[in-house]
Amino acid sequence: MAQHFSLAACDVVGFDLDHTLCRYNLPESARLIYNSFAQFLVKEKGYDKELLTVTPEDWDFCCKGLALDLEDGNFIKLADNGTVLRASHGTKMLAPEVLAEEYGRKEWKHFTPDSGMACRSGKYYFYDNYFDLPGALLCARVVDSLTKQNNGQKPFDFWKDIVAGIQHNYKMSAFKENCGIYFPEIKRDPGRYLHTCPESVKKWLRQLKNAGKILMLITSSHSDYCRLLCEYILGNDFEYLFDIVITNALKPGFFSHLPSQRPFRTLENDEEQEALPSLDKPGWYSQGNAVHLYELLKKMTGKPEPKVVYFGDSMHSDIFPACHYSNWETVLILEELRGDRDGKPEDSEPLEKKGKYENYPWTTNLQVSLQTIQKQQAIIQTLHWSYQMMGN
């Protein structure tokens, strides 16, 4: 990756949707996501009703970059060399002497220096985005409850119930069936949970399109939910803005999987249809892979190596895989920095959790100047390096 890049030199501009083009009202959406899981665990799986009550102080537990060890119920924060910086059992922080005894100065058992720590496994789960973070708090409180009930005995066997909660609330048909808690509530009152895009952002997108750029939307959200979000934040004519819309992209596999493993599918009434052997024309598709997409971009631009830039909010799903597997330029959207810029600390993480990049001139509403992008690129390169140490 070049140290600097120019947006004007890019032929294709792609965007993630959730927490990128679509900003959420984080306090409200976090509570909704938490409740969608907590009510399922209590009502369907018989967990303690105390899980339904959350205090404002409880939310301080949430922090990007936590890894949950599913065997012992510990949440850990790793250094770039794989050693454990701090840890908690459930929500209870481990004392320094306990931390030293349990982890010492050695690499965490699931960390591998060559390939890094994979972010999804049957033995641990890595939390790196705002959809996941409420689940971190819920799982920590579940560990607290089970520790109390079982007198601290290990291992913990609750993850299958969390997966069942995901399937119940967020399966592909949940939006259409109006099941679970999350989708019915978003449909009922989208303004409570979503921020509309400023007119300046819409104008910027139109300017990019009028300048001859190919615009793409690549999201792991399903097509019906994507449509609701886009109509609310961009307007009913949002499809005009994008040459290509890809939903249920199942990132990061969209970038890392072979075409045979993840073919594109057409959509009919938001239902996935037959698999496509290749991608021949722009339009709205489901699933897919970056290899077939890039072949289409070659045809659309008439260039053997069109230059692509992708905006996203997740190091795991967007930034690292788009750069590492597809050699795309990337721009990371950091919601945490918005509080400093706007003077609204309630929109950002607690002060003690802010990262070392907090003073950089980041913008989360996508009003990005070329000069700002160049400054951001140095940060992104650092984050790429750090992420390679954590997994792909």
Side-chain angles (χ1 to χ4, degrees):
M1 175 184 288
Q3 185 174 2
H4 302 293
F5 80 99
S6 168
L7 186 60
C10 294
D11 306 292
V12 183
V13 185
F15 299 93
D16 179 34
L17 179 57
D18 297 289
H19 303 290
T20 302
L21 275 178
C22 178
R23 288 189 59 243
Y24 285 76
N25 180 347
L26 292 179
E28 292 291 345
S29 64
R31 281 190 286 267
L32 177 59
I33 293 168
Y34 180 94
N35 288 335
S36 72
F37 284 103
Q39 294 207 29
F40 177 82
L41 291 182
V42 172
K43 295 179 180 179
E44 303 297 328
K45 300 297 181 179
Y47 282 74
D48 197 316
K49 292 182 179 180
E50 288 185 2
L51 293 177
L52 300 176
T53 303
V54 186
T55 68
E57 292 75 21
D58 290 334
W59 291 107
D60 285 344
F61 180 82
C62 294
C63 178
K64 284 184 179 180
L66 294 176
L68 166 60
D69 189 318
L70 296 172
E71 295 177 333
D72 59 23
N74 285 355
F75 287 80
I76 66 171
K77 214 28 166 157
L78 291 177
D80 59 7
N81 62 359
T83 58
V84 178
L85 293 173
R86 60 181 184 273
S88 68
H89 182 69
T91 64
K92 309 298 189 266
M93 294 300 298
L94 298 186
E97 59 273 15
V98 177
L99 182 69
E101 179 181 351
E102 191 148 343
Y103 296 105
R105 295 181 178 274
K106 61 182 182 296
E107 293 174 350
W108 186 45
K109 58 187 177 182
H110 297 303
F111 182 88
T112 54
D114 293 332
S115 60
M117 181 187 74
C119 291
R120 299 294 182 263
S121 165
K123 296 183 178 180
Y124 55 87
Y125 191 88
F126 188 77
Y127 295 89
D128 81 321
N129 64 68
Y130 283 111
F131 280 145
D132 277 346
L133 287 185
L137 173 60
L138 177 66
C139 288
R141 299 187 71 207
V142 167
V143 170
D144 289 345
S145 177
L146 294 178
T147 300
K148 183 177 180 181
Q149 293 175 20
N150 301 334
N151 295 320
Q153 292 183 357
K154 303 174 183 179
F156 293 90
D157 188 26
F158 63 89
W159 190 249
K160 65 182 185 301
D161 296 328
I162 298 296
V163 173
I166 295 173
Q167 176 65 15
H168 175 70
N169 283 284
Y170 302 98
K171 61 184 179 181
M172 193 168 185
S173 61
F175 187 95
K176 182 176 291 186
E177 295 172 1
N178 214 41
C179 70
I181 292 175
Y182 183 83
F183 290 124
E185 179 60 18
I186 293 287
K187 287 193 280 187
R188 186 189 69 81
D189 190 6
R192 181 175 179 179
Y193 303 100
L194 309 174
H195 294 294
T196 58
C197 276
E199 186 57 40
S200 57
V201 173
K202 300 177 190 178
K203 180 180 179 181
W204 181 59
L205 294 174
R206 291 193 293 267
Q207 288 173 336
L208 289 173
K209 192 172 181 66
N210 292 337
K213 309 295 183 186
I214 294 173
L215 265 60
M216 304 187 301
L217 186 64
I218 307 175
T219 174
S220 291
S221 290
H222 297 140
S223 57
D224 43 16
Y225 183 55
C226 170
R227 192 180 305 277
L228 179 147
L229 296 183
C230 288
E231 287 181 349
Y232 184 81
I233 69 170
L234 292 170
N236 293 333
D237 61 345
F238 76 92
E239 287 187 66
Y240 162 78
L241 293 171
F242 302 102
D243 300 280
I244 300 169
V245 176
I246 300 170
T247 53
N248 195 27
L250 301 173
K251 297 176 292 181
F254 179 85
F255 299 102
S256 61
H257 282 44
L258 297 173
S260 59
Q261 297 173 296
R262 192 67 61 74
F264 280 98
R265 296 181 179 273
T266 57
L267 286 163
E268 187 175 320
N269 296 322
D270 293 317
E271 296 284 346
E272 291 184 348
Q273 304 300 308
E274 72 277 5
L276 300 174
S278 62
L279 203 58
D280 298 323
K281 60 183 179 181
W284 191 315
Y285 299 94
S286 186
Q287 297 195 41
N289 61 87
V291 174
H292 281 168
L293 173 60
Y294 197 64
E295 290 302 314
L296 174 61
L297 296 177
K298 291 179 183 180
K299 295 177 183 178
M300 294 176 68
T301 61
K303 296 182 178 182
E305 294 184 354
K307 192 175 183 64
V308 183
V309 59
Y310 187 62
F311 291 75
D313 72 296
S314 171
M315 284 299 299
H316 170 251
S317 298
D318 302 318
I319 303 304
F320 177 78
C323 171
H324 182 74
Y325 296 106
S326 299
N327 200 32
W328 291 0
E329 299 284 4
T330 50
V331 177
L332 177 65
I333 304 300
L334 289 177
E335 178 82 22
E336 291 89 336
L337 304 186
R338 188 175 179 84
D340 287 337
R341 193 199 66 181
D342 289 352
K344 298 177 181 178
E346 68 274 14
D347 286 344
S348 60
E349 286 189 330
L351 183 61
E352 64 272 14
K353 294 182 181 177
K354 290 183 179 178
K356 62 182 178 181
Y357 307 112
E358 63 187 304
N359 294 321
Y360 281 82
W362 210 282
T363 169
T364 58
N365 66 4
L366 299 182
Q367 294 169 310
V368 184
S369 68
L370 299 183
Q371 293 82 3
T372 302
I373 289 178
Q374 289 175 344
K375 293 177 182 178
Q376 293 166 353
Q377 197 64 13
I379 305 171
I380 294 169
Q381 286 188 305
T382 301
L383 291 172
H384 273 303
W385 178 84
S386 298
Y387 192 78
Q388 283 180 298
M389 298 298 294
M390 291 190 297
N392 54 18

